[in-house]
Amino acid sequence: MDSRWSDADARDYVAQYQSVGEDLALRVYTSRLLGRERALVLHGGGNTSVKTRVTDLLGDKIDVLCVKGSGWDMADIEPPGLPAVRLDPLRRLEKLDRLSDEDMVNYLRGNLLDAAAPNPSVETLLHAFLPHKFVDHTHADAVLALTDRHDGAKICEEVFEGRLGLVPYVMPGFALAKLCAEIYAKNPDVEGLVLLKHGLFTFGETAREAYERTIRAVTAAERRLAGGRAKKRALAALPNDIAQLHEVAPVLRGLVAEKRDGAEPRRQVLVFRNSPAVMGYVNGAELERYGRAGPTTPDHVIRTKPWPMILPAPREGELPAFREVARRGFTSYVEAYGAYFARHNKGDKKPLDSIPRVVLVPGLGMFGVGASAKDATIAADLAETAMGVIGAVETQAPFESITEQDIFDMEYWSLEQAKLGKAAEKRLARHVVAVTGGASGIGAATVKAFRSEGAEVAVLDIAGGAEAIRCDVTSSESVRDAFRQVVARYGGVDIVVSNAGRAFQGRIGDVSEAVLRESFEINFYGHQRVAQEAVAIMRAQGTGGALLFNVSKQAVNPGPDFGPYGLPKAATLALMRQYALDHGADGIRANAVNADRIRTGLLTNDMIAARAKARGVSEVDYMTGNLLGREVTAEDVARAFVELALARTTTAAVLTVDGGNIAAAPR
Ligand code: ZN
């Protein structure tokens, strides 16, 4: 691994962060260098500190430890992410024999200079008890690959030749801080400490020295890994007709959704990975052994659970059998997790949920599981990194993690769980929503409205674009491909807003059959194609769902010369009712929004002029010609879709969003 230190960049940081002083500016600089290297830390892992001096309001100089605060990621840390804690009171704690977590957290908070600062890292005392000005802590992949094996200490002796002290595994907190200080005191010439099965600490008098000692240690570890005699991983004998992702993912997503009596299931979002490294890992003949051995570094466990759920390879055309095998696999996962809890709980912990966070499917790949795409991505990233580490260990020796009791103590450590936060979930968190015609007008407003309720929203649009999935609702293939992409991105779908449409005008006695058919193609068959694809996925999940159709008020109250648009919309209203009828037993609700006169790309200003003329009124009167006398917006329609999605016992309903129009009231 190369050092990315640059004198010019260091000077820039010092200039940019002049107000906080050179020490903290350089601390920010090298923390970011470490945080931006995926092979060193991921997603808020690791921590850094600098010992410096600040002046308080009275002009007194105070020695402080600026240490990474909880909730900050080193990759983009700022000075407030390194809160200052009074150093002398921290150092005096070293005299104690033991210290409870509660007392430690309270003491750290009590010694913060800024009362509003985040909690200092759980490893703060380790930083404080070491004498060096700069201390860097990472979970470097290459170092883990040397230590996550039975002879890790011996290998580290050989590789680091006494330049790093070796610390046996002890859970983070006060006891580890004391142990590290003792080991350092016996070898005060070392450049750092290897925490076996946990990670690396390096230190120095300058930011550069501490940082480059990390790089040097990692480079030495990498050389050793590359130089050893490599054993090739034996592959399992797998069928060559593996089922496809779009078939398997909804089955798994349904499986890991927690069913709750009388309430909506607690759904999960799935993100999928199948890089060559992932495939090599999940297809290994000994997956059951190394795959269940435990985390590569302890703080992964709150994101990945102690072990993944491992399922057999799913075969094409045998999905019902796979569904059954997967169900049994999930049941035994839940039982094994319950037994693990019972084995290690000393009586005062409450069990966490027993839903796997990582699912391995030989032949197919790996799924990260989480309450949101972000959480699922974190689980998948950590799992993918662990696969690299385990793969590197396994070329030379069997992978070995910390003991199961140590894994449990870490997973159920209140200070670790606190990192996950306990904010209340939004109303549509854990839901995957697809919106057709989502790039503009009512669709775009709907995408925004669902996102603000916490949903993961896939934008489907004929225009495609950077964020949107291309979807032409007049083509069955295009709709099918679009939903496959939604499944690949999130694991399935729960709510579909079938919104794409196009306006056609013409007096019905004069209109050509071609125009009428073209309108039916998008304004009726388009909805049918979308609903059909969505329902297939929802049924595979088995957790219900919601279909929401945008039917114009033309469906119930035809306007003059608007037949080519209103007729298919009327058919779509009937389509909605048919879905409600035929799929209510699947827990799938179907509802429609009957909106009128929304200024969008579909009802353009030119069309408004034409419609107003057809009715013999002014444009303003046309747009506000309703009982409330106010123009209705795309945002009003979007809110109606959201409320219908939340109306758990409403199906086959039409919600009118038109400012009030008695003639268009459904009856
Ligand atoms: Zn750590």
Side-chain angles (χ1 to χ4, degrees):
M1 180 173 285
D2 295 328
S3 168
R4 297 188 193 280
W5 175 275
S6 137
D7 287 334
D9 289 351
R11 276 195 299 275
D12 285 350
Y13 272 81
V14 172
Q16 189 191 340
Y17 292 107
Q18 218 170 18
S19 62
V20 298
E22 184 173 324
D23 287 346
L24 195 48
L26 292 173
R27 181 66 284 178
V28 168
Y29 172 47
T30 58
S31 298
R32 288 188 187 174
L33 289 183
L34 296 168
R36 288 173 185 179
E37 198 78 66
R38 284 176 70 93
L40 293 179
V41 277
L42 269 182
H43 297 301
N47 40 66
T48 54
S49 68
V50 60
K51 297 176 183 77
T52 184
R53 183 169 280 184
V54 295
T55 308
D56 73 4
L57 291 176
L58 299 170
D60 291 333
K61 305 253 185 260
I62 306 171
D63 287 328
V64 294
L65 176 78
C66 292
V67 62
K68 199 194 92 165
S70 190
W72 283 84
D73 193 314
M74 291 207 281
D76 47 22
I77 203 158
E78 294 284 347
L82 291 150
V85 196
R86 287 169 212 275
L87 184 57
D88 288 335
L90 294 186
R91 283 185 164 148
R92 289 173 56 207
L93 287 178
E94 206 181 336
K95 286 189 296 221
L96 295 179
D97 289 328
R98 61 179 60 83
L99 177 65
S100 75
D101 295 335
E102 295 72 22
D103 286 345
M104 181 174 82
V105 171
N106 187 48
Y107 192 85
L108 293 180
R109 281 216 70 81
N111 281 292
L112 282 167
L113 262 63
D114 175 359
N119 274 341
S121 159
V122 299
E123 280 159 330
T124 295
L125 294 182
L126 207 168
H127 289 260
F129 294 171
L130 293 167
H132 312 80
K133 190 171 177 71
F134 287 87
V135 178
D136 295 9
H137 171 47
T138 58
H139 301 146
D141 290 354
V143 173
L144 292 174
L146 291 188
T147 75
D148 290 355
R149 48 192 284 185
H150 77 284
D151 57 350
K154 190 174 136 270
I155 302 291
C156 288
E157 297 271 10
E158 289 170 26
V159 172
F160 302 119
E161 299 169 321
R163 280 182 287 110
L164 301 175
L166 301 183
V167 183
Y169 181 78
V170 168
M171 188 173 133
F174 180 70
L176 176 62
K178 276 200 66 152
L179 180 62
C180 288
E182 280 165 25
I183 290 173
Y184 169 73
K186 285 184 200 144
N187 310 277
D189 295 332
V190 294
E191 300 176 353
L193 300 169
V194 174
L195 276 55
L196 298 172
K197 299 182 177 177
H198 174 163
L200 174 69
F201 271 84
T202 61
F203 23 76
E205 280 318 297
T206 65
R208 181 174 186 173
E209 185 177 47
Y211 166 72
E212 290 192 334
R213 284 173 168 180
T214 291
I215 301 301
R216 190 195 314 186
V218 170
T219 304
E222 285 173 343
R223 288 215 182 98
R224 169 66 183 228
L225 292 168
R229 241 179 341 120
K231 251 188 359 187
K232 243 184 115 63
R233 178 155 44 203
L235 294 181
L238 293 173
N240 47 21
D241 54 346
I242 300 288
Q244 294 184 58
L245 171 63
H246 67 88
E247 298 174 304
V248 174
V251 172
L252 296 182
R253 185 156 181 264
L255 208 57
V256 297
E258 237 177 306
K259 319 295 183 293
R260 301 180 299 177
D261 284 342
E264 278 283 293
R266 260 168 73 87
R267 297 177 170 89
Q268 304 286 345
V269 177
L270 268 53
V271 306
F272 178 68
R273 302 282 165 86
N274 63 349
S275 65
V278 168
M279 295 316 294
Y281 185 93
V282 301
N283 292 349
E286 294 184 68
L287 173 64
E288 287 285 334
R289 174 183 57 77
Y290 59 71
R292 292 189 207 273
T296 52
T297 184
D299 81 354
H300 285 188
V301 71
I302 55 167
R303 297 288 193 172
T304 60
K305 291 268 172 196
W307 59 85
M309 177 163 80
I310 304 176
L311 297 175
R315 299 187 65 173
E316 186 88 65
E318 293 184 7
L319 271 184
F322 175 72
R323 180 188 292 274
E324 184 49 32
V325 171
R327 198 187 55 74
R328 284 205 300 271
F330 178 68
T331 304
S332 61
Y333 185 92
V334 170
E335 284 169 4
Y337 188 81
Y340 151 85
F341 178 79
R343 270 199 300 282
H344 300 293
N345 179 34
K346 300 291 188 289
D348 59 338
K349 305 283 187 192
K350 282 199 181 67
L352 298 163
D353 75 74
S354 46
I355 304 295
R357 298 297 191 273
V358 179
V359 179
L360 307 182
V361 186
L364 191 69
M366 176 258 285
F367 294 89
V369 178
S372 61
K374 183 170 167 256
D375 283 357
T377 299
I378 291 174
D381 285 349
L382 296 182
E384 200 167 350
T385 300
M387 287 176 175
V389 170
I390 294 170
V393 178
E394 290 269 327
T395 59
Q396 305 185 352
F399 167 68
E400 199 180 270
S401 182
I402 54 178
T403 67
E404 195 181 85
Q405 181 69 51
D406 284 330
I407 296 173
F408 178 87
D409 290 344
M410 196 66 185
E411 185 182 5
Y412 281 83
W413 191 23
S414 57
L415 303 190
E416 278 295 298
Q417 285 297 328
K419 291 181 183 171
L420 298 178
K422 290 280 180 277
E425 288 190 343
K426 292 186 177 171
R427 297 193 296 176
L428 286 170
R430 301 171 176 273
H431 288 75
V432 177
V433 182
V435 181
T436 68
S440 60
I442 291 172
T446 302
V447 168
K448 220 170 135 191
F450 275 96
R451 284 196 178 139
S452 74
E453 298 288 348
E456 303 295 343
V457 185
V459 178
L460 275 53
D461 202 281
I462 191 163
E467 193 217 17
I469 294 170
R470 210 193 102 77
C471 179
D472 172 2
V473 298
T474 66
S475 152
S476 300
E477 262 189 12
S478 173
V479 172
R480 194 194 60 204
D481 287 351
F483 275 91
R484 285 184 182 185
Q485 287 185 58
V486 175
V487 170
R489 217 179 263 188
Y490 302 111
V493 73
D494 307 300
I495 297 165
V496 169
V497 182
S498 188
N499 163 71
R502 220 179 104 199
F504 292 80
Q505 301 192 64
R507 196 182 309 187
I508 199 66
D510 305 330
V511 75
S512 74
E513 188 175 318
V515 166
L516 201 52
R517 281 187 188 278
E518 199 186 346
S519 180
F520 262 88
E521 207 47 66
I522 179 165
N523 292 317
F524 171 74
Y525 289 106
H527 293 286
Q528 163 63 356
R529 291 182 189 100
V530 165
Q532 208 165 30
E533 284 295 332
V535 163
I537 297 166
M538 289 170 184
R539 293 182 73 199
Q541 292 171 155
T543 50
L547 301 174
L548 299 166
F549 297 91
N550 189 355
V551 300
S552 160
K553 77 103 203 183
Q554 301 298 327
V556 289
N557 174 231
D561 300 344
F562 223 12
Y565 182 61
L567 290 168
K569 284 292 192 180
T572 298
L573 180 60
L575 181 76
M576 174 276 281
R577 292 183 173 134
Q578 198 66 47
Y579 270 100
L581 182 62
D582 289 352
H583 292 287
D586 296 317
I588 298 170
R589 298 180 289 112
N591 293 292
V593 169
N594 163 11
D596 191 24
R597 296 181 205 181
I598 317 295
R599 203 183 291 271
T600 65
L602 193 140
L603 184 62
T604 59
N605 291 338
D606 284 354
M607 284 184 62
I608 290 167
R611 298 305 309 151
K613 200 171 160 216
R615 301 221 172 204
V617 296
S618 76
E619 287 175 39
V620 173
D621 285 348
Y622 178 74
M623 292 306 285
T624 60
N626 55 47
L627 300 178
L628 296 174
R630 53 181 287 185
E631 186 172 337
V632 183
T633 65
E635 287 70 29
D636 295 324
V637 183
R639 262 193 298 278
F641 281 126
V642 167
E643 295 309 324
L644 276 176
L646 286 162
R648 312 281 186 217
T649 49
T650 297
T651 192
V654 182
L655 183 52
T656 298
V657 186
D658 61 1
N661 177 356
I662 289 301
R667 58 174 177 172

